Amino acid sequence: MYTKNFLEDFTNFDYVMKMLKSNRLFNHKCHQISLKEGNSLQFDFQTSKLYLIQEGYTKITSQYEDHLVFLSFSKRGEFPLLLGRNDLGPDSFQVTALTDCILWEIDRDYLYEILITEDPRNFVLLNYHIKISRNSVIQLVMNTFSSEDRLNYILLFLADKFGVRNADGTIDFPSFITYAKLGELASVSISHASNIVKNLQAQDIISTCVQYRQKLTSTRY
């Protein structure tokens, strides 16, 4: 059994780029693109390109009946999506930039060949599927929580996954964490999310930077 830190050491951005560059076809099969905040990429099982995040944050959603369902977040060094046929899964996905992003666009067949030859123990795929499984469990468990507990759980999850830990014990959130985003993830209204955060602020647990999008800046979780 591999630990979380062990897998992350073998799946970080620099390590994956080293694997990709090991093949002489790298410059023909991989190149950088920018994806502006709010813009999206569409995927299905016929997609010929996959992406590795160099800078920024993305979210993945899938179409279910008449609405989009949130699946997971991705950050630097992660693949938002590694497609593999699953008859139990959706047929299409949408990767949306939560901040301005720089991505490496990689030919799918080239990536699969690299993973077979340079990652024989499947660390990259294993780490990816652990992330997806973890997020699925989180969504399932949150269905049993009250609205306040759901939002608190989301704050803890985001602080652990994306937070920057400061010397004074606080944790800074990335810029995409807003009241609207918290409400979306916790399935509560923006006003309710705001009220819960204000209660935490009154307890000196969290602080906010009041801007046009009400960005959260740090927490002492």
Side-chain angles (χ1 to χ4, degrees):
M1 183 66 66
Y2 303 116
T3 65
K4 178 175 180 289
N5 289 339
F6 178 88
L7 282 176
E8 289 181 350
D9 286 342
F10 283 93
T11 56
N12 62 48
F13 177 79
D14 293 334
Y15 188 85
V16 174
M17 287 301 298
K18 181 179 179 181
M19 287 195 296
L20 292 172
K21 291 179 179 180
S22 66
N23 189 291
R24 60 183 176 81
L25 295 177
F26 170 77
N27 290 327
H28 301 284
K29 300 295 185 178
C30 307
H31 66 273
Q32 290 174 303
I33 66 167
S34 61
L35 188 66
K36 296 297 184 182
E37 179 180 349
N39 290 346
S40 300
L41 298 168
Q42 303 295 326
F43 292 85
D44 59 31
F45 287 101
Q46 304 303 315
T47 298
S48 63
K49 304 293 183 182
L50 295 175
Y51 297 86
L52 175 68
I53 299 176
Q54 179 174 338
E55 294 180 13
Y57 301 90
T58 66
K59 71 172 180 178
I60 310 169
T61 53
S62 63
Q63 190 72 33
Y64 178 74
E65 294 181 348
D66 60 346
H67 61 281
L68 290 174
V69 177
F70 168 76
L71 296 179
S72 68
F73 290 116
S74 296
K75 60 181 180 179
R76 173 180 166 84
E78 294 183 341
F79 292 92
L81 205 61
L82 280 175
L83 289 172
R85 183 69 216 185
N86 181 352
D87 290 336
L88 299 178
D91 290 327
S92 62
F93 305 86
Q94 181 172 291
V95 175
T96 303
L98 296 170
T99 61
D100 288 349
C101 295
I102 297 177
L103 310 174
W104 277 92
E105 184 176 81
I106 308 164
D107 179 83
R108 181 187 62 185
D109 292 337
Y110 176 81
L111 174 61
Y112 289 170
E113 180 182 348
I114 291 295
L115 292 180
I116 290 172
T117 58
E118 302 296 329
D119 187 29
R121 295 188 180 181
N122 296 317
F123 290 145
V124 172
L125 287 173
L126 179 59
N127 197 42
Y128 173 78
H129 284 293
I130 287 174
K131 180 185 75 171
I132 295 299
S133 298
R134 185 186 300 118
N135 282 309
S136 298
V137 170
I138 287 172
Q139 293 180 58
L140 180 63
V141 170
M142 283 205 306
N143 287 333
T144 67
F145 288 174
S146 67
S147 59
E148 184 173 356
D149 286 342
R150 287 200 304 274
L151 195 137
N152 286 333
Y153 192 91
I154 286 295
L155 285 171
L156 286 168
F157 171 76
L158 293 172
D160 178 63
K161 181 171 178 61
F162 299 116
V164 176
R165 299 178 182 275
N166 302 311
D168 62 359
T170 63
I171 303 174
D172 291 337
F173 286 109
S175 60
F176 70 82
I177 305 301
T178 65
Y179 289 146
K181 187 58 62 181
L182 285 175
E184 174 189 343
L185 297 174
S187 298
V188 301
S189 67
I190 296 177
S191 59
H192 192 34
S194 174
N195 289 334
I196 294 173
V197 170
K198 287 177 180 177
N199 288 336
L200 295 173
Q201 186 178 10
Q203 300 173 57
D204 196 30
I205 294 175
I206 197 168
S207 62
T208 62
C209 177
V210 181
Q211 299 179 4
Y212 73 101
R213 291 194 304 174
Q214 295 289 337
K215 294 180 180 178
L216 300 184
T217 55
S218 63
T219 177
R220 292 185 180 278
Y221 273 120

